[in-house]
Amino acid sequence: MQVNNDFQPVIVAFCCNWCSYAGADLSGTNRLNYPANVKIIRVPCSCRVNPMFILRAFQKGADGVIICGCHPGDCHYTSGNYYTRRRITLLYSMLDFLGIERNRTRLEWVSAAEGAKFAAVMNSFVDEVKKLGPNRRLEDLRCRKQ
Amino acid sequence: MNKFDLEWINLTSGVNVRKCMRCGKCSATCPSYDEMEYHPHQFVYMVEKGNIEPLLGSDSLYKCLTCFACVERCPRGVEPAKVVEAVRLAAVRKQGGNHLTPDQIPAMLDDDLPQQAIVTAFRKYTK
Amino acid sequence: MQRIGVFVCHCGTNIAATVDVKAVAEALSHEPGVVISQDYQYMCSESGQDLVKNAIKEHKLTGVVVCSCSPRMHENTFRKAAASVGLNPYLVEIANIREQCSWIHKDIASATDKAVILGKAAVAKVHLNAPLTAGESPVVKRALVIGGGIAGIQTALDIAEAGFDVDIVEKEPTIGGKMAQIDKTFPTLDCAACILTPKMVEAAQNEHITIHSFSEVSDVKGFVGNFTVTIKKKARYVDETKCTGCGLCTEKCPMKKVPNEFNMGLDNRTAVYIPFAQAVPKVATIDPNYCMMLKNGKCGICSKVCSVGAIDYKQTDRFIEQKYGAIVVATGFNPIKPDKYNEFAYSICPDVVTSLELERLMNAAGPNGGTLLRPSDKTHPHTIVFVQCVGSRCDDEKGKPYCSKICCMYTAKHAMLIREKYPDTEVYVFYIDVRTPGKNFDEFYRRAVEQYGVHYIKGMVGKVMPRSDGKIDVQASDLLSNEQLHINADMVVLATAIEPDKTARPLATMLTTQMDTNDFFTEAHPKLRPVESATAGIILSGACQGPKDIPETVAQASAAAAKAIGLLVKNSITCNPCVAHSDELMCNGCSSCEKVCPYGAITYQDKEFRMPDRTTAVRRVASVNPAVCQGCGACTVACPSGAMDLNGFSNSQIMAEVDAICK
Amino acid sequence: MQEAMIKRAKELLADGTVNRVMGWKKGEFAYDITPAVFDTAEELEQDFVCDDLTQANVSKYLIKESRKEGRILAFLKPCDTYSFNQLIKEHRIIRENVYVIGIPGGPKIDVEKIKAKGITGILSVKNEDYTLKIETIYGTETMPFYEAISGKCESCKSKKHVVYDELMGEEGDVLDSNRFDMVEKLENMTAQERYDFWRGELSKCIRCNACRNVCPACTCESCVFDNPASGISQKAAADSFEENMFHIIRAFHVAGRCTDCGECSRVCPQNIPLHLLNRKFIKDINSLYGEYQAGADTTSRAPLTDYKADDCEPSVVHERGAE
């Protein structure tokens, strides 16, 4: 087996059940590739994503966290993603304020019909995080691998 | 037609000829249609099939007015005029074959010859 | 101690081709709590399910992880299987290793690694799953149908047939929709009005059906079984209960120069009008944009001539609120306006018309009384050119990327009818492909060519040039003979693409249903649930879901009715048990959660608590109504103390997944 | 002012309007002014203090006090009234059980700033015509008043009382403050500089929880950090991540609810400028979602429990200024 020294980031993607998770399924159905670094966690709505989960992911070794939800106005629960948008904007702004690389975090709207967009978003996000290298500014040294 | 030229045409035109759905609107809209041996939709089709040789030798290359009516009206965004232009360039650049090769150059060099002249000559001869 | 079973599905080669399923099963067998880890060809098959069931019984499993396709596909299958052998269905978790793993990755090593990690996350989550019991909520036995075209009418009739009350909301003054405007129908050539208007009358007379014409849905609240809908009844300035539809007002109205939208603006109507003779309800409507009385208070003739005193210039929009158990969307379609295509000269030449305009021109109730005449000079056209795919199958912003499906057939119909009625007229049809899948469809098209001598030409029209002598020069290509044609035409008919009605997008927002990028409603599953939306209780009927012809629309309308009836016959429906709950000991009663709850499911009460020092204290605490909560989780993040949590997606479960993925 | 307050408090105790008084008294050291509850006129006469060193915001204490028998008198500075109002909005304080007297605010003196001048063994501090006369065990020292103004008063946002039953002294106005200057300065740094700055500050955190315990917005019955089920509970910051996380989550939990009273930074034994985190949120909220002052009223929706359909996207974070 060939040894691959390329940095393989750990990417956690929170996807809302109704739009983005279905969009991710659709990109699978259409066989649209994106890197295996992305692991998806299903949540009922993007507004279920607590900032604690995002920090927890970084603590345990994630190099990037992305949240995907229905397009504003299309939330299955009417308004969930509007709250998400405010919460996550402020949280990301705060992480940026603390000097955490802003490209490690992202929020995207992906509808159930946008399988191609899902794959494109994941490809570009993985590229961004690869450019940044491993997360060092918001990691828990006790959780570092090796 | 070799594969290299085909790729070169696809690259320089920036056109994905596979998007064509064969509606023929490009030819329907072409003001030079009657002058042409090969019509815009044939350019697209033949490039897609790799059949470029007849195009390179055809007068049709120079009948295209580059009015872009076909580009404007193509429902699939194929941009046939750009394909014609790319084939035309492929033909033009082949002509003469009067390129200098690097190993021909040392013999021609002259100590008094300014560097700039050599470079200018390159430009002239490679046309 | 947890006893967890892991079941890895091959899905034939769908998973097994890129994921080493045996290695996944092996790796997961070492996870804490896992007592059995197996792989199988098709886990969702009868024998696959038996494998799971037997393992649950044999190993006394307390949790099940199935590594298979998306939970959106088979979560319910495996939950039911578990329940059938006595394991709480909410102790089953799915790891999605098909749609989100094997189908997107090509490299076996990395796909297998990922599948293992997804499996570990599911195992970590299932450790924390709690058995949940679904509650029940009552079903309001009334359905709402939005849109009163053939789709809406058929759905309403079928629901009413089953004995349930159903309301139709139609934004126009009459029901009937697009089909009412059509002259003949393909492939049988029977008259559209003759088959539609009896249905319209039937709907009006059915005791279970209430028609809200000239009305719109302005607000939707609630959830499946219990929607509360606000309907805006727009002011029509005529008392519907009094108007007899005698039409005297429309005869006497002095404002006669209003473009008649029913005839596609090809003739005029009066400011007070009844759209067409068979309108249902047959009630006049005053157009406030043209009525002189409403605009400047001068006139009032209609009021004077009305013998029943139905005219009411002071009428305003009214709002009514009604509860429904199911909502059927039947908002239909519209042809696009081809004015962006300058090459077809639609906006500068009156003799270039769209197909729907041609329907009106040929209709006996149309502007010319059924005689086909050119709109410009009212002469008989001798050469007519049809252009297919105008705005359909377009990659640019002017058109639509999809095939509009119905154009090939109605153009064949038009061509045939014209050749039948006016044999001296030459008809040319420029096509890219002729698409005729459907019963008797291709035969119909062949008849147009073979019996009626319609000239079908493979190629597209490039340019339409109106000339000063009134003729139209049509420049087109004939791809098969490889020549450019110039046809001297009298009329050009554009088969324009169809698009969803403009009201669909805001409606989708109100209904919290999904749409695709073309604004067609998205069905719950493209193959297996094509008439339901992903939102429970919202059902799709007709062309709002995608381009359809009349028989398909009617078929889907009846299917939608069946789905609605299936819902309405139930006295109660099982609620989603994955709802929020609040830990009263931690709740501050600060009302943050209440403010973000979209359903008003959270209320507060003052409760007495025993304090550690044996005193009692009264505190304000939140409680969630599980029948109303839909489980979005907005409250869980709004809650600063962490008192609010969500069943099935608890803080600890999601963190366990995060940990498993990042490990 | 102190005399007038004691006099008025005694009157209200005597006529039965209130049965207790929330005020301040001297702590372990004379300059340590600490919140206290007084039951009798005698106690007031003896211990009640309100001077230039009295900084503490007493509104948080009223959560418990307002749930006891009878009614309590509370003296609130302008900044304290915002906290008080916010707690009413969150149903934490029972308004009827508190009689609020608005008193003039600062500028108050921060004894730490005096100590920073090398003055120790402080016995008392007096303001004489904007010169501080400091009695110490080593003799008398003086320093200019303005050099000892407390951090939270230096960027005072308002001298207006947003809630009171009666007012002592004159009513002031909402001020144009410079409170976002430091936040802005940090924003203009590079990410690396900001990272270094915050590492330098937050690594000093000893997780004494003083910031949380004093904060009038942190009033949870049970804090997530004390709840073993929350998954993030810890008693000590064992790692740089935890130092960061505690303060990020705390700031997030009070975002839109923090009135910017500045108590967190005042009580921090390590002098970490924690208020900057809260102010960052306030500044973001103001610029992205419209001006909002928590505690200014009791009815408006807090920015994080509200939304507009055309709110900005989080990409504003990615598109702005220095990386």
Side-chain angles (χ1 to χ4, degrees):
Chain A
M1 205 183 116
Q2 264 199 324
V3 181
N4 189 359
N5 288 324
D6 283 353
F7 163 56
Q8 288 300 335
V10 175
I11 309 272
V12 178
F14 292 97
C15 290
C16 87
N17 181 46
W18 303 95
C19 289
S20 309
Y21 195 88
D25 277 356
L26 183 63
S27 79
T29 310
N30 292 342
R31 311 296 197 273
L32 301 170
N33 287 65
Y34 57 86
N37 309 64
V38 179
K39 314 283 190 304
I40 296 171
I41 293 179
R42 184 164 71 127
V43 286
C45 176
S46 57
C47 71
R48 178 67 187 92
V49 180
N50 196 311
M52 292 194 294
F53 303 160
I54 298 167
L55 295 180
R56 174 77 158 215
F58 283 123
Q59 176 183 23
K60 298 289 175 171
D63 301 295
V65 174
I66 181 165
I67 299 166
C68 299
C70 308
H71 285 266
D74 294 352
C75 175
H76 180 76
Y77 305 99
T78 323
S79 52
N81 54 3
Y82 287 127
Y83 296 118
T84 309
R85 185 162 59 179
R86 284 200 171 187
R87 289 167 185 164
I88 300 302
T89 302
L90 290 180
L91 179 76
Y92 286 178
S93 177
M94 177 55 80
L95 292 178
D96 180 49
F97 189 61
L98 293 177
I100 315 303
E101 302 92 334
R102 52 179 76 150
N103 291 337
R104 285 199 195 282
T105 51
R106 208 192 268 195
L107 177 69
E108 287 280 352
W109 311 123
V110 179
S111 83
E114 292 174 328
K117 180 177 179 186
F118 187 86
V121 162
M122 290 306 152
N123 277 312
S124 89
F125 187 58
V126 172
D127 279 353
E128 287 273 4
V129 176
K130 275 191 176 170
K131 264 183 240 160
L132 289 173
N135 162 38
R136 290 288 174 257
R137 290 185 183 172
L138 197 58
E139 70 164 344
D140 194 326
L141 279 171
R142 295 166 299 177
C143 300
R144 193 188 278 196
K145 274 159 257 179
Q146 286 113 40
Chain B
M1 187 66 200
N2 66 45
K3 198 162 161 262
F4 174 78
D5 282 348
L6 182 61
E7 273 173 16
W8 188 87
I9 285 169
N10 285 333
L11 193 71
T12 42
S13 66
V15 168
N16 178 5
V17 285
R18 291 194 190 130
K19 284 167 79 181
C20 175
M21 64 169 172
R22 324 251 186 269
C23 72
K25 199 171 179 183
C26 46
S27 290
T29 202
C30 181
S32 302
Y33 187 95
D34 293 336
E35 311 285 317
M36 287 174 147
E37 178 190 1
Y38 297 107
H39 305 117
H41 73 276
Q42 288 173 293
F43 268 89
V44 176
Y45 184 74
M46 290 164 79
V47 167
E48 190 193 327
K49 295 290 169 245
N51 185 19
I52 297 170
E53 211 63 62
L55 297 177
L56 287 170
S58 167
D59 256 6
S60 304
L61 283 181
Y62 311 99
K63 301 292 182 189
C64 169
L65 303 170
T66 326
C67 72
F68 276 57
C70 51
V71 173
E72 178 60 30
R73 294 185 186 150
C74 174
R76 306 295 305 167
V78 175
E79 308 177 304
K82 292 190 182 176
V83 178
V84 177
E85 175 67 14
V87 180
R88 183 158 48 205
L89 279 176
V92 168
R93 291 193 182 175
K94 267 190 189 324
Q95 277 167 14
N98 54 1
H99 299 257
L100 288 178
T101 55
D103 55 322
Q104 291 172 288
I105 294 168
M108 295 175 169
L109 286 181
D110 178 336
D111 285 345
D112 298 332
L113 195 66
Q115 181 73 18
Q116 205 175 353
I118 302 171
V119 178
T120 313
F122 260 116
R123 218 178 278 150
K124 198 180 275 172
Y125 281 111
T126 48
K127 282 281 175 207
Chain C
M1 182 60 197
Q2 291 271 16
R3 303 176 58 78
I4 293 164
V6 176
F7 303 90
V8 187
C9 180
H10 296 224
C11 195
T13 56
N14 279 309
I15 294 170
T18 27
V19 169
D20 182 347
V21 283
K22 296 238 183 271
V24 173
E26 156 66 16
L28 294 178
S29 69
H30 303 300
E31 284 298 289
V34 174
V35 292
I36 175 170
S37 182
Q38 288 179 306
D39 61 283
Y40 189 70
Q41 201 71 18
Y42 287 103
M43 210 55 93
C44 62
S45 69
E46 189 102 5
S47 45
Q49 289 185 51
D50 285 342
L51 191 78
V52 178
K53 288 184 203 169
N54 290 335
I56 292 172
K57 284 187 281 190
E58 197 178 316
H59 295 273
K60 298 189 174 55
L61 297 183
T62 58
V64 167
V65 168
V66 186
C67 301
S68 61
C69 53
S70 170
R72 297 164 51 84
M73 290 289 296
H74 277 305
E75 189 172 54
N76 258 336
T77 313
F78 294 113
R79 278 182 175 171
K80 275 185 195 155
S84 73
V85 289
L87 183 71
N88 186 288
Y90 295 92
L91 298 175
V92 176
E93 283 294 328
I94 307 288
N96 184 344
I97 61 165
R98 191 178 77 174
E99 280 85 346
Q100 294 179 7
C101 188
S102 72
W103 276 352
I104 35 172
H105 308 311
K106 287 182 180 142
D107 175 46
I108 294 180
S110 62
T112 306
D113 282 350
K114 179 172 171 178
V116 171
I117 290 173
L118 293 177
K120 284 182 178 175
V123 171
K125 187 181 180 192
V126 87
H127 264 284
L128 300 161
N129 277 21
L132 300 174
T133 317
E136 296 201 323
S137 81
V139 175
V140 178
K141 304 223 170 246
R142 191 182 190 92
L144 172 67
V145 175
I146 304 170
I150 181 60
I153 293 170
Q154 185 64 46
T155 303
L157 284 173
D158 287 352
I159 295 173
E161 179 78 3
F164 295 104
D165 287 337
V166 51
D167 294 358
I168 300 177
V169 171
E170 167 58 54
K171 67 179 187 309
E172 301 298 333
T174 172
I175 60 169
K178 290 288 168 300
M179 190 173 167
Q181 290 178 279
I182 295 172
D183 188 32
K184 299 278 193 304
T185 56
F186 61 78
T188 48
L189 294 184
D190 40 359
C191 149
C194 313
I195 51 177
L196 174 68
T197 49
K199 279 198 181 287
M200 290 164 64
V201 174
E202 210 186 319
Q205 289 173 348
N206 193 306
E207 54 176 341
H208 288 300
I209 299 180
T210 309
I211 297 172
H212 297 290
S213 63
F214 212 52
S215 301
E216 283 165 15
V217 170
S218 66
D219 189 38
V220 179
K221 283 198 175 70
F223 49 91
V224 54
N226 196 2
F227 294 103
T228 305
V229 179
T230 309
I231 298 167
K232 175 172 145 187
K233 294 192 75 108
K234 294 182 279 187
R236 71 198 303 166
Y237 306 103
V238 173
D239 188 334
E240 281 180 63
T241 56
K242 289 185 189 162
C243 178
T244 59
C246 72
L248 195 58
C249 53
T250 66
E251 282 166 33
K252 301 291 180 195
C253 177
M255 186 62 217
K256 296 193 191 297
K257 288 271 182 224
V258 187
N260 184 355
E261 47 283 87
F262 184 71
N263 278 338
M264 304 302 291
L266 292 165
D267 65 353
N268 292 324
R269 61 163 168 83
T270 46
V272 56
Y273 68 108
I274 297 173
F276 57 98
Q278 302 96 327
V280 169
K282 195 161 185 194
V283 173
T285 304
I286 297 179
D287 187 337
N289 296 320
Y290 292 95
C291 172
M292 307 220 274
M293 188 66 189
L294 289 171
K295 279 175 82 178
N296 42 34
K298 287 178 194 144
C299 184
I301 290 176
C302 50
S303 169
K304 282 177 205 128
V305 300
C306 182
S307 56
V308 292
I311 306 288
D312 176 7
Y313 299 117
K314 298 224 156 49
Q315 208 176 62
T316 49
D317 294 349
R318 282 183 302 134
F319 291 87
I320 55 173
E321 205 179 86
Q322 182 67 258
K323 280 189 171 290
Y324 298 100
I327 297 178
V328 181
V329 185
T331 46
F333 72 96
N334 276 308
I336 63 163
K337 265 190 107 57
D339 48 1
K340 282 183 203 150
Y341 293 93
N342 291 332
E343 61 267 35
F344 296 131
Y346 174 77
S347 36
I348 55 167
C349 178
D351 296 328
V352 178
V353 298
T354 67
S355 298
L356 195 54
E357 288 166 4
L358 183 74
E359 292 279 356
R360 297 315 301 158
L361 286 173
M362 289 168 65
N363 192 297
N368 302 327
T371 316
L372 178 58
L373 300 173
R374 289 177 10 131
S376 62
D377 54 9
K378 306 280 178 203
T379 58
H380 172 60
H382 293 278
T383 306
I384 301 180
V385 171
F386 285 87
V387 187
Q388 297 290 77
C389 297
V390 175
S392 296
R393 309 168 71 190
C394 262
D395 211 18
D396 56 25
E397 279 148 26
K398 288 189 272 190
K400 305 288 172 188
Y402 49 85
C403 166
S404 296
K405 193 169 190 179
I406 55 175
C407 327
C408 284
M409 285 304 289
Y410 68 59
T411 297
K413 173 189 78 179
H414 290 155
M416 202 186 273
L417 288 171
I418 290 169
R419 290 284 296 162
E420 164 95 23
K421 226 170 160 185
Y422 312 102
D424 61 331
T425 301
E426 289 301 320
V427 176
Y428 297 88
V429 177
F430 285 92
Y431 70 93
I432 303 172
D433 305 283
V434 179
R435 297 180 170 179
T436 56
K439 192 171 165 183
N440 292 326
F441 280 17
D442 203 63
E443 295 91 321
F444 184 78
Y445 151 62
R446 290 312 307 165
R447 242 166 69 212
V449 177
E450 293 164 23
Q451 287 179 24
Y452 289 88
V454 178
H455 307 295
Y456 268 80
I457 300 169
K458 160 78 185 166
M460 191 63 180
V461 169
K463 228 169 160 186
V464 173
M465 291 161 284
R467 294 194 326 215
S468 52
D469 64 357
K471 290 273 188 179
I472 305 167
D473 181 23
V474 178
Q475 179 183 316
S477 65
D478 180 338
L479 291 179
L480 297 180
S481 69
N482 201 10
E483 58 183 328
Q484 198 175 56
L485 305 176
H486 282 268
I487 294 173
N488 211 359
D490 298 307
M491 262 182 91
V492 174
V493 184
L494 307 177
T496 45
I498 59 174
E499 64 179 357
D501 194 81
K502 291 274 178 273
T503 57
R505 173 58 72 176
L507 187 65
T509 302
M510 276 189 264
L511 296 170
T512 70
T513 49
Q514 274 98 53
M515 285 190 139
D516 64 20
T517 46
N518 299 312
D519 281 7
F520 286 112
F521 283 88
T522 309
E523 57 281 1
H525 189 280
K527 281 138 200 129
L528 303 176
R529 292 174 68 196
V531 296
E532 295 149 275
S533 78
T535 305
I538 310 289
I539 302 155
L540 311 174
S541 173
C544 67
Q545 180 259 344
K548 277 183 193 64
D549 60 24
I550 294 168
E552 282 178 329
T553 297
V554 172
Q556 203 198 9
S558 289
K563 288 288 166 195
I565 295 163
L567 189 56
L568 297 181
V569 289
K570 291 181 189 152
N571 290 321
S572 63
I573 41 171
T574 312
C575 302
N576 169 19
C578 295
V579 292
H581 59 89
S582 130
D583 183 337
E584 289 172 344
L585 291 175
M586 287 197 281
C587 176
N588 306 326
C590 70
S591 281
S592 296
C593 52
E594 177 201 26
K595 295 217 167 68
V596 299
C597 179
Y599 303 100
I602 300 170
T603 50
Y604 291 87
Q605 57 202 101
D606 288 326
K607 257 194 160 171
E608 244 181 42
F609 288 90
R610 290 275 286 171
M611 303 305 279
D613 57 359
R614 299 193 173 191
T615 57
T616 56
V618 175
R619 279 201 292 115
R620 183 177 189 269
V621 291
S623 72
V624 180
N625 178 349
V628 180
C629 174
Q630 297 296 298
C632 67
C635 53
T636 60
V637 184
C639 178
S641 68
M644 204 49 101
D645 209 344
L646 189 66
N647 288 341
F649 295 95
S650 69
N651 288 331
S652 52
Q653 283 176 309
I654 295 176
M655 285 208 226
E657 286 182 270
V658 168
D659 292 357
I661 287 173
C662 296
K663 220 187 287 173
Chain D
M1 179 54 75
Q2 182 177 314
E3 295 316 309
M5 285 160 74
I6 294 173
K7 179 165 170 278
R8 184 66 188 131
K10 285 204 283 195
E11 281 169 22
L12 289 167
L13 272 179
D15 69 12
T17 309
V18 298
N19 65 353
R20 286 159 296 140
V21 177
M22 180 89 228
W24 303 266
K25 65 179 180 189
K26 286 192 167 66
E28 194 168 353
F29 297 101
Y31 51 77
D32 246 352
I33 310 297
T34 310
V37 176
F38 304 87
D39 289 310
T40 61
E42 292 72 43
E43 285 174 24
L44 279 170
E45 199 65 63
Q46 206 175 342
D47 291 332
F48 186 93
V49 178
C50 182
D51 60 8
D52 286 335
L53 289 165
T54 310
Q55 292 191 66
N57 178 353
V58 295
S59 36
K60 186 174 184 176
Y61 297 86
L62 296 170
I63 296 172
K64 280 226 166 69
E65 289 300 327
S66 75
R67 284 155 203 267
K68 292 182 180 163
E69 279 293 312
R71 202 169 183 206
I72 188 165
L73 166 64
F75 291 104
L76 298 181
K77 305 190 295 297
C79 47
D80 305 344
T81 62
Y82 286 86
S83 308
F84 181 79
N85 231 12
Q86 181 65 24
L87 287 166
I88 288 177
K89 185 177 182 174
E90 294 176 6
H91 309 277
R92 304 292 284 148
I93 290 177
I94 300 167
R95 177 70 181 91
E96 304 80 74
N97 294 348
V98 186
Y99 188 87
V100 176
I101 295 183
I103 56 166
K108 300 287 186 182
I109 292 163
D110 187 352
V111 79
E112 293 299 322
K113 290 201 173 176
I114 300 174
K115 285 184 186 168
K117 289 270 173 190
I119 301 170
T120 52
I122 301 166
L123 293 172
S124 76
V125 181
K126 277 213 173 61
N127 174 14
E128 283 176 0
D129 215 10
Y130 295 103
T131 301
L132 293 182
K133 228 177 122 193
I134 304 144
E135 299 292 342
T136 74
I137 50 175
Y138 308 111
T140 307
E141 302 261 6
T142 59
M143 72 181 279
F145 176 82
Y146 67 87
E147 283 181 16
I149 291 177
S150 127
K152 63 187 235 174
C153 293
E154 277 178 334
S155 50
C156 178
K157 64 179 179 292
S158 175
K159 292 205 173 289
K160 180 178 150 66
H161 298 80
V162 288
V163 56
Y164 55 82
D165 293 305
E166 69 176 68
L167 207 56
M168 296 179 81
E170 285 193 7
E171 179 65 308
D173 291 318
V174 176
L175 305 178
D176 257 348
S177 86
N178 56 355
R179 59 186 174 137
F180 297 123
D181 288 1
M182 186 58 193
V183 175
E184 209 161 298
K185 196 177 149 196
L186 279 163
E187 284 172 347
N188 290 331
M189 291 180 178
T190 65
Q192 184 65 48
E193 285 166 344
R194 282 198 298 274
Y195 178 71
D196 293 341
F197 172 86
W198 282 111
R199 257 332 26 251
E201 294 295 344
L202 295 178
S203 62
K204 296 189 291 192
C205 177
I206 54 171
R207 270 308 290 278
C208 66
N209 285 335
C211 50
R212 179 186 85 184
N213 294 352
V214 78
C215 175
C218 269
T219 63
C220 288
E221 294 293 325
S222 158
C223 177
V224 279
F225 290 104
D226 293 342
N227 173 10
S230 74
I232 55 165
S233 68
Q234 336 120 24
K235 297 293 176 201
D239 185 271
S240 67
F241 173 83
E242 286 177 346
E243 293 156 4
N244 286 339
M245 182 185 69
F246 175 76
H247 293 290
I248 295 171
I249 294 288
R250 207 187 77 78
F252 189 82
H253 279 182
V254 301
R257 303 164 57 228
C258 166
T259 64
D260 199 9
C261 73
E263 289 285 272
C264 44
S265 294
R266 181 179 71 84
V267 300
C268 179
Q270 297 290 78
N271 294 319
I272 304 172
L274 293 168
H275 64 283
L276 291 177
L277 296 175
N278 301 326
R279 278 191 188 158
K280 168 65 179 168
F281 274 138
I282 295 170
K283 182 169 180 284
D284 275 351
I285 288 168
N286 284 350
S287 65
L288 301 176
Y289 309 125
E291 292 282 325
Y292 181 83
Q293 173 60 54
D297 64 87
T298 56
T299 49
S300 63
R301 273 174 98 103
L304 277 175
T305 57
D306 198 7
Y307 65 87
K308 286 199 192 76
D310 58 352
D311 279 339
C312 61
E313 295 292 328
S315 50
V316 292
V317 178
H318 297 78
E319 283 151 12
R320 111 188 123 190
E323 164 65 55

